[in-house]
Every structure is written in C-alpha cells, then in structure tokens.
C-alpha cells in the first residue's frame, strides 16, 4: 500500500517556516563572532526548501520505457506450479449495484501442510471490520485510513448462511468468532469452524459455502463510491496454517490475527477460479486473466477469471471504465498484458500509466527476478473513491483517485510503488500482520531506486530521516505501533532508510546482489526478517548481528552529538598553539564510520573518520589557530541520523543556551510531525 501525503503540503509549509525560523535563531547565536565562513547548516532553511522543491511539480521529459520484444502473452494456467498451492477457490459472485450487495458461493479446497491432524479451520472475515464502530479495525483507526474517513452511517459486513462438506453435512452451527489479539467480542473479522473429522497431514478437504457482503462506502480499500466498486478482501478467506520451521516456528499451528487499523494481509498461495456477474453496462478488472469473453444476456454480464500461484483475489467494477491494453515483454519478462481501467478524467494520461508500468516491470524483473504472470491490471478510481487507491493485490494495482487533470509525478510514483508490491508482497509474500517492513520498506526502497533512475528524482534521505520522531522495532505486530502515523513512519520510511544504510556500507552493486538473492531464494515461501539477515550475511560474508539488533529488532536511530568544545592556548616546543578539545557522545545506535570535520580560524580544516563505537569520546587537536567549529557528518552520509541539530557546535557559544534552543526546536518538530497525515 502506498502511504498518502494528502494535505502534507500545507502542513510542511508550516513546519518549514517554524523550524527554519528557529534554526536561523540557533545559528544566529552561534554566529555572534566575526570571521565565520562556510558554516554548515544541518536542516537549514535552504536545505529544507530545496528538499521540498527537489521533486518536480510537473513530470519532466522522461526516457521511454525499455522497448518491448515481440510479445504475445499466453493467458493459460501455468505449465508447472510456482508455489505450494495450499488452497483452491472456485467462487461465483453477483453484484447488486443498487443495494451495494455481493451474493456469493464458494468451493474451497484446503490441504493440510503440517504433520499433525487438523480439526478446526479459521477464516478471515475482513468485511466485518466495517460492521460497526465497535470492530477492532474501526476502534483502532477511528474510521480513518490515510486521509480518507468513513461515511457516517455507512456500514458493511459479511454473513455466511451455509458451510457444508461434500457429503452435505452442514457446519454453520459450529461457527464461532474469535479475537486472539485483543479479546474484543464485538470484532467478527476472524472465525473458526469445527470439522466432523480431522484432516490428516497431506490430505485435503473441500467445503461449499454461501455468503453475502454488504459493501461500505469506500474509505479503506474495499467498498463503493456511487457506481464504482472495489472488491478487495471480499470473501471468506482461510487463514494460514504454518508447519514447523516456517517463519521460525518450533511447533506447527495457525497464524491467527484480527483485522487491525494498521495491518494488511497474509495468506497461502493457491488457485482462484472466479465468476463475477455485474450489470451489462459494467466493466470488470480482476486478479488473473479471463478464461473466456464475458457473457452478456442484455441485463447482466458474467466474467470468468482464473489465477494460479497467487494468495488473494480482488476485483473492481464500474460502468465508466475506459479500457486500454498493451502487450509487453523484455528478456526478463516472458510476456504480459498491461491493462488499464481508467476513470474518464484520466483517459488522456494513459501513456504515462503505460510507461510507468513498463518501466517498473522491466526494472524490477531485471533487478530482482522475472514477473511470471501474464497479466497486470491497473485501476484508476474516480476522485471520490480515493480510499480504494494506492493499493496492491496479486496482478492488480490501484492508482490514486482521479482528482487532478494534470497530476504531478505522484501519478507515476504510486504506480511504481504498487507494482513493486507485486514482487515483495505478491511473490515473496511476507506476513504483513507481523513483519510489514519486509513488504512496505522493501517496496519503498525499490520505488526510490526506480524513480531516481527512470525519472531523475532523488530522495532527500536527510530530510526523510528527520521525519522519524518515534522510532520503534521493525518487528512489531502492525497494530502495536499505535497511531497510523507511527506505523507508517517505521515500516515505510525508517525501514527504507535501514535498507539505504545497508547499501551505504556495502555499495549499490552488492545491495542489488543481496536483494536479488533474497528474492530468488524466498519467492513463494513467506520469509522472515531473519531470512533476509542470513541472505545479507551470506552475500557479504560478514555478521550483521549488531546492526539488526540496533536498527531492525531494536528501534534505534543514529544520534551522535557534539556536547562540548574547549580551547586553550599552550606552548609546545617553544611555539604558541591552541589545544582544542571536542567532546562527542553517542545517544543512538552504532555506525562504524563516522566522519567529523574540524574547522579552524585560519580557514584550514581537519577531517577524521571515527569508528563510532564508544559512547563518550574526546578529540584533542593542537593547531596554530583556534578551532572555530566542528560538525559530525558534514556530507550527510549517515542515513539513519535523524537529529542533526546536535551534530554541530561553534567555539565560545554558551552551550547551555544553544542546547536549550536546539532541544526546543526538536520538540516542536516532533509535535508538528505527530500531526502530519500519512
């Protein structure tokens, strides 16, 4: 999912004005002596303003996408399985466009992947998150996701009216809602049923179900806006039963979580065969590819879609979609049909969508591994359905709602981001309940790389690090971050910065090798953070235990501070010199190459590279002239440094006064950032 900046422009304007004014005040105090030149200004007004202006407001003339090889994508079932295919769904669903109701039947076949008999099955009932204000999702989110809010009085939900075995035995009487995370009895987003007999290891069971879904007004991924429908997480979805050894489990069992305000999803790979009936005027976009042309009886139109080696199925429908399709192939992509389903407002921008999709598919397949599916669908919702935008599903992504006639590079950026999810969410398929950073952080890292290479937009990592005011472990369950802002700050931005910090130490070529090895080793296998750490260590031939303990498993950032400067005149070998003493303290995690610059009154300077290990060190420098100032990391190479205001100090300034002012600035920025919407 793409984090949304929404009204951040106005918020950041306020933040910049206040932060810059206070920063200038701090440096004015430091500049009260003459002959100070080339003074570094960490997070100065000019730096902040240039950072805000760094991404163009209008798309530049970008290079074309890599040219397509002759492409005739074959939309047929995969010749061999790419995944373990634990589940197989056959579903029929009808849309009542007037009442915003889905009526469905489901045949689910589930295979026991463990070594023990299983007599209970658990199902995610995601639409029930919208059934009342008392659900866990609504209580945690406050009825809001990003900048989109729930419509008062508009609720949704799912009802199951029948669950039968193939022998016709009705199991609905055993249905129970469970709340393993918070005990909220009003939350019905997870349920279990008891089977008549246990399923032995390696055996399968098929259940036939009948269900209905009342769609809410869309604000959080699924729902409707006028006659537009986004059906994401819309069916009873069996939970994941994890064998011993998967994701570090010592004993097999169900991985069970409710639908939370921050969390996204986790499911097994399998096969989906889905029939979707809509009014004749509607066009449907869906996961997978069509098995045959839609059948239209004059009143309703029925689509048939098929997908294999995916872990979810989503679809969208509208009578207003404008449809375009292009085949595309590269040496790393056998052949894919890129399908656009555009709100009419953005029809003239189809070329930009196509180019962004081609660039993303080509580069990610080149960097990490081939996109193996024959279809990629892009849905652009109407402007009043923005809550459905910026989201990923297997072989289907959504852009932002069509709210602008000539959007800036956010149009491309969101498509690039969501297609990145096809690799880290779609194929690698980490558990987003428990390790969201393995999807969102990796995707944000890849997004930045592509935007820089293909559109010339470089991220301002220094500014982004300053956003991090509430760092936490990247291994927390998604709902344990509390507010959505803290969740986004960590699993998107801080996670990306962690990857960039690794890259800064091993180089971009080695980083690409690491990510490619991780992708190739773990696609379709649901890896964990420790699996990525092992891949990194195997590739670089060194331990990363301390780095992961501090910045991944722990919630630290880098924070080196100059806490004192003292100078005095001395006589050495009969010559007058200055002895300059600089104290540096470590308040955060360890970075093993910390550059420090010492600038003297005669204009000369000395650069030192410190190992950054000790918590409190003192540098003594003898020099013919007095030390004027010292700065840690003058070129901003410490990616994870987020409090640069304490990394500079000038000689002969009342350090207590400066520290009080700088602390005030930091606290103000933290307060302001806490209100920024993601």
């Amino acid at each position: 999912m793409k984090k949304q900046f929404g009204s951040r422009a106005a918020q950041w304007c306020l933040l910049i004005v206040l932060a810059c004014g206070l920063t200038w005040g701090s440096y004015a105090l430091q500049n009260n002596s003459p002959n100070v030149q080339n003074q570094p200004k960490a997070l100065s007004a000019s730096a902040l303003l240039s950072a805000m202006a760094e991404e163009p407001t209008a798309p530049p003339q970008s290079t074309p996408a890599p040219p397509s090889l002759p492409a005739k994508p074959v939309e047929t079932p995969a010749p061999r399985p790419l995944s373990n295919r634990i589940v197989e769904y056959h579903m029929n669903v009808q849309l009542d466009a007037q009442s915003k109701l889905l009526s469905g039947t489901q045949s689910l076949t589930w295979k026991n992947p463990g070594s023990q008999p299983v007599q209970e099955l658990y199902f995610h009932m995601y639409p029930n998150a919208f059934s009342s204000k008392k659900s866990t999702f609504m209580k945690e989110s406050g009825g809001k996701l990003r900048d989109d809010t729930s419509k008062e009085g508009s609720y949704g939900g799912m009802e199951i009216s029948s669950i039968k075995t193939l022998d016709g035995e009705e199991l609905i009487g055993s249905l129970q809602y469970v709340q393993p995370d918070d005990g909220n009895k009003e939350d019905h987003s997870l349920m279990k049923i008891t089977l008549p007999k246990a399923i032995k290891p390696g055996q399968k069971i098929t259940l036939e179900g009948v269900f209905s879904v009342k769609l809410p007004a869309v604000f959080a991924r699924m729902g409707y806006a006028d006659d537009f429908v986004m059906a994401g997480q819309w069916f009873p979805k069996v939970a994941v039963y994890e064998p011993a050894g998967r994701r570090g489990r010592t004993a097999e069992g169900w991985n069970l979580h409710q639908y939370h305000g921050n969390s996204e999803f986790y499911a097994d790979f399998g096969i989906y065969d889905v029939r979707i009936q809509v009014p004749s005027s509607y066009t449907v976009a869906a996961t997978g590819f069509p098995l045959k042309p839609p059948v239209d009886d004059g009143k309703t139109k029925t689509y048939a879609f098929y997908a294999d080696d995916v872990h979810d199925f989503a679809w969208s429908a509208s009578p207003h979609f404008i449809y375009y399709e292009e085949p595309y192939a590269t040496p790393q992509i056998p052949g894919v049909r890129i399908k656009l389903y555009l709100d009419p407002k953005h029809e003239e921008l189809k070329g930009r969508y196509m180019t962004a999709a081609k660039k993303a598919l080509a580069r990610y397949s080149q960097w990490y591994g081939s996109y193996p599916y024959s279809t990629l669908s892009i849905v652009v919702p109407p402007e009043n359905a923005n809550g459905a935008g910026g989201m990923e599903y297997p072989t289907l992504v959504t852009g932002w709602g069509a709210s602008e006639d000539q959007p800036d590079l956010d149009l491309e950026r969101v498509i690039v981001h969501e297609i990145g999810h096809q690799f880290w969410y779609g194929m690698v398929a980490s558990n987003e309940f428990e390790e969201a950073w393995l999807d969102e952080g990796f995707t944000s890292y890849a997004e930045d790389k592509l935007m820089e290479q293909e559109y010339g937009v470089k991220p301002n990592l220094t500014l982004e690090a300053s956003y991090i005011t509430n760092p936490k472990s990247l291994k927390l369950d998604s709902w344990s971050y509390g507010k959505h802002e803290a969740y986004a700050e960590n699993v998107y931005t801080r996670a990306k910065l962690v990857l960039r910090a690794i890259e800064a130490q091993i180089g971009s070529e080695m980083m690409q090798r690491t990510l490619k090895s991780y992708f190739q080793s773990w696609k379709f296998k649901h890896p964990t953070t420790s699996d990525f750490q092992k891949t990194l260590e195997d590739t670089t031939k060194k331990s990363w235990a301390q780095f992961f303990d501090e910045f991944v498993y722990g919630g630290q950032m880098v924070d080196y501070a100059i806490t004192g400067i003292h100078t005095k005149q001395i006589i050495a070998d009969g010559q007058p010199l200055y002895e300059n003493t600089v104290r540096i303290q470590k308040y955060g995690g360890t970075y093993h190459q910390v550059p420090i610059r010492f600038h003297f009154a005669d204009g000369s300077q000395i650069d030192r590279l410190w190992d950054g290990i000790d918590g409190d060190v003192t540098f003594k420098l003898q020099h013919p002239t007095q030390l004027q100032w010292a700065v840690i990391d003058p070129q901003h190479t410490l990616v994870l440094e987020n409090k640069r205001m304490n990394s500079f100090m000038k000689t002969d300034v009342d350090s207590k006064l400066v520290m009080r002012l700088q602390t005030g600035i930091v606290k103000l920025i933290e307060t302001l950032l806490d209100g920024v919407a993601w």
Side-chain angles (χ1 to χ4, degrees):
M1 186 176 189
K2 179 66 176 167
K3 64 183 180 183
Q4 184 178 14
F5 287 89
S7 60
R8 292 189 69 178
Q11 294 168 324
W12 276 110
C13 284
L14 174 61
L15 174 60
I16 289 168
V17 169
L18 291 172
C20 293
L22 288 168
T23 305
W24 282 332
S26 173
Y27 284 110
L29 284 174
Q30 297 176 16
N31 286 334
N32 61 359
S33 62
N35 301 320
V36 177
Q37 298 176 350
N38 303 319
Q39 188 126 294
K41 292 177 171 59
L43 286 183
S44 66
S46 59
L48 285 168
L49 291 172
S50 65
M52 293 300 293
E54 189 165 284
E55 182 164 322
T57 56
Q61 293 295 319
S62 62
T63 58
S68 177
L69 299 173
K72 293 184 179 179
V74 179
E75 294 183 324
T76 58
R80 60 180 181 83
L82 301 175
S83 66
N84 52 11
R85 295 188 179 180
I86 296 297
V87 296
E88 182 172 342
Y89 290 90
H90 296 267
M91 294 186 286
N92 293 274
V93 60
Q94 298 83 41
L95 168 66
D96 184 333
Q98 188 68 30
S99 61
K100 314 303 181 188
L101 184 71
L102 306 180
S103 300
T105 61
Q106 179 186 89
S107 174
L108 165 68
T109 299
W110 180 80
K111 179 174 68 176
N112 181 355
S115 61
Q116 301 293 325
V118 174
Q119 196 163 1
E120 293 177 335
L121 292 185
Y122 289 82
F123 289 82
H124 293 287
M125 305 280 284
Y126 290 116
N128 284 338
F130 310 106
S131 60
S132 78
K133 292 182 179 180
K134 297 180 180 180
S135 75
T136 294
F137 178 92
M138 293 293 281
K139 288 173 68 175
E140 291 179 352
S141 69
K144 180 178 181 179
L145 185 65
R146 301 177 299 197
D147 281 345
D148 301 285
T149 57
S150 58
K151 186 178 179 180
E152 187 65 32
S154 177
Y155 296 104
M158 174 185 287
E159 291 185 2
I160 297 179
S161 54
S162 177
I163 309 175
K164 293 182 179 180
T165 66
L166 288 181
D167 296 332
E169 185 172 354
E170 180 62 68
L171 306 179
I172 194 72
S174 71
L175 187 154
Q176 289 180 277
Y177 293 107
V178 294
Q179 301 83 19
D181 296 327
D182 65 0
N184 175 16
K185 296 301 181 183
E186 300 296 328
D187 186 74
H188 295 166
S189 62
L190 184 66
M191 68 95 165
K192 73 173 181 179
I193 58 169
T194 303
L195 303 173
K197 61 180 181 179
I199 311 164
K200 295 180 180 179
Q203 288 189 343
K204 297 180 179 180
I205 186 173
T206 299
L207 299 178
E208 306 281 351
V210 180
F211 66 96
S212 63
V213 176
K214 176 67 174 176
L215 295 171
V218 65
F219 76 96
R221 304 183 182 95
M222 73 165 294
Y224 72 90
D226 297 328
D227 46 14
F228 167 84
V229 168
M230 185 68 231
Q233 309 298 335
W234 56 278
F235 57 92
K237 188 175 179 182
V238 69
V240 177
Y241 187 84
E242 296 181 319
R246 182 194 283 190
R247 300 182 56 258
R249 288 193 78 119
T250 56
E252 65 184 76
W254 290 98
N255 187 271
L256 300 176
H257 297 296
Q258 300 155 242
Y259 194 8
H260 291 271
N262 290 335
S263 68
E264 294 190 31
F265 313 105
Y266 176 46
D268 278 314
F269 287 96
I271 293 172
Y272 288 82
D273 180 12
V274 183
R275 305 299 191 272
I276 304 169
Q277 186 182 90
V278 295
S280 290
S281 60
Y282 276 64
T283 299
V284 172
T287 293
F289 58 85
L291 288 170
K292 58 185 179 180
V295 177
D296 193 340
D297 64 9
K299 292 184 178 180
T300 62
K301 190 188 300 182
T302 302
Y303 289 79
F305 288 95
Y306 175 89
D308 46 30
D309 299 308
V310 298
H311 51 77
D312 196 8
F313 186 98
W315 57 278
S316 183
S318 171
H320 306 296
F321 280 149
I322 296 174
Y323 177 73
Y324 292 95
E325 175 186 314
E326 286 187 23
Y328 188 62
T330 71
Q332 291 81 28
I333 304 172
V336 58
R337 297 184 192 276
I338 304 175
K339 304 178 178 183
L340 299 182
Y341 299 83
L342 300 175
D343 183 87
K345 190 167 187 175
H346 277 185
E347 180 182 7
E348 300 304 316
L349 300 171
K350 60 183 181 294
R352 286 176 60 183
Y353 286 106
M354 277 291 182
T355 298
K358 291 174 182 178
K359 287 182 175 184
L361 285 173
R363 295 305 179 204
Y364 295 151
S365 294
Q366 175 187 354
W367 295 342
Y368 311 127
S370 178
Y371 181 81
Y373 306 109
S374 61
T375 299
L376 174 69
S377 295
I378 301 170
V379 172
V380 179
E383 58 186 309
N384 63 340
N386 209 36
M391 189 60 198
E392 72 281 354
Y393 307 93
T395 79
L396 184 149
V397 303
T398 62
W400 288 147
S403 59
E404 299 176 10
D405 293 328
Q406 289 295 325
D408 61 19
L409 273 176
D410 272 353
L411 182 151
E412 284 82 2
R413 184 176 284 279
V414 70
I415 299 303
V416 162
H417 181 92
E418 303 309 338
I419 293 176
H421 278 303
Q422 296 301 309
F423 293 78
W424 303 116
Y425 149 86
M427 285 182 269
V428 172
S430 306
N431 184 336
E432 291 186 281
F433 288 115
E434 299 174 4
E435 295 178 280
W437 87 281
L438 290 176
D439 175 33
E440 297 295 357
F442 280 59
T443 299
S444 297
Y445 169 91
E447 166 203 330
D448 274 1
K449 286 289 184 180
L450 192 137
M451 292 300 294
E452 182 173 352
Q453 176 166 322
E454 296 293 338
Y455 293 96
V457 180
K458 293 184 179 182
N460 190 318
L461 302 179
T462 302
L463 183 61
E464 291 187 45
S466 73
Y467 299 167
I468 309 301
T469 61
N470 189 19
K472 295 178 181 291
S473 167
L474 298 179
K475 282 276 292 176
L476 294 182
D477 293 334
S478 293
W479 53 96
S480 296
Y481 289 98
K483 292 182 179 180
H484 188 72
E485 290 84 352
Y487 168 77
E489 177 182 309
N490 282 277
V491 306
Y492 288 84
T493 305
R494 199 173 83 82
K496 177 186 73 174
L497 293 173
V498 164
L499 295 175
R500 295 296 293 243
I502 295 171
E503 180 184 28
Q505 297 178 63
I506 66 176
S508 57
E509 182 179 346
M510 181 70 76
M511 187 64 173
Q512 187 166 316
R513 283 175 51 194
T514 299
L515 292 175
K516 188 167 189 175
S517 177
Y518 174 63
F519 178 83
Q520 295 290 350
S521 299
W522 290 102
K523 59 184 178 181
F524 304 107
K525 294 179 183 176
H526 314 287
T528 64
T529 298
S530 61
D531 296 319
F532 172 63
Q533 181 181 345
K534 185 176 186 305
T535 301
L536 176 63
E537 293 177 337
D538 289 345
T539 305
T540 60
K541 310 301 182 187
K542 60 173 281 190
S543 172
W544 285 83
Q546 181 184 13
F547 182 92
F548 272 69
D549 286 345
E550 290 183 341
F551 300 114
V552 178
Y553 305 121
Q556 296 196 57
M557 294 290 283
V558 170
D559 184 12
Y560 291 104
I562 299 176
T563 57
I565 296 179
H566 300 283
T567 67
K568 66 179 180 179
Q569 284 186 310
I570 63 171
I571 301 296
D573 297 328
Q575 298 294 323
L577 294 175
Y578 282 89
E579 183 177 82
N580 303 284
T581 303
V582 180
R583 184 184 183 189
I584 296 179
Q585 292 179 277
K586 180 177 69 173
Y587 297 135
T590 302
Y591 199 91
H592 291 286
Q593 291 185 324
V594 181
I596 307 168
R597 177 165 294 168
F598 304 94
H599 187 89
F600 297 90
D602 61 2
S604 64
Q605 63 188 32
I606 296 175
D607 288 338
R608 293 279 182 88
L609 195 61
W610 172 46
D611 64 17
I613 295 174
D614 294 332
D616 194 332
V617 297
T618 299
F619 290 86
K620 288 188 177 181
L621 302 96
Q622 292 184 358
H623 196 271
T625 60
Q626 187 178 27
L627 180 69
Q628 242 178 10
W629 50 258
V631 62
I632 299 170
D633 191 26
Q635 302 301 319
H636 294 179
T637 59
L638 304 186
V639 177
L640 287 167
E641 172 68 73
N642 68 326
K643 295 181 179 178
R644 294 185 179 274
M645 289 179 181
N646 61 11
S647 64
F648 174 90
M649 184 172 284
K650 185 181 177 294
T651 309
D652 295 332
V653 175
D654 185 340
S655 59
K656 292 182 179 180
L657 177 60
V658 172
M659 184 60 67
R660 285 198 297 272
L661 180 56
Q662 290 176 342
T663 301
I665 295 168
V666 171
K667 291 300 182 183
L668 176 59
I669 290 178
E670 289 177 352
T671 301
L672 290 169
L673 283 171
D674 190 53
V676 173
W678 296 88

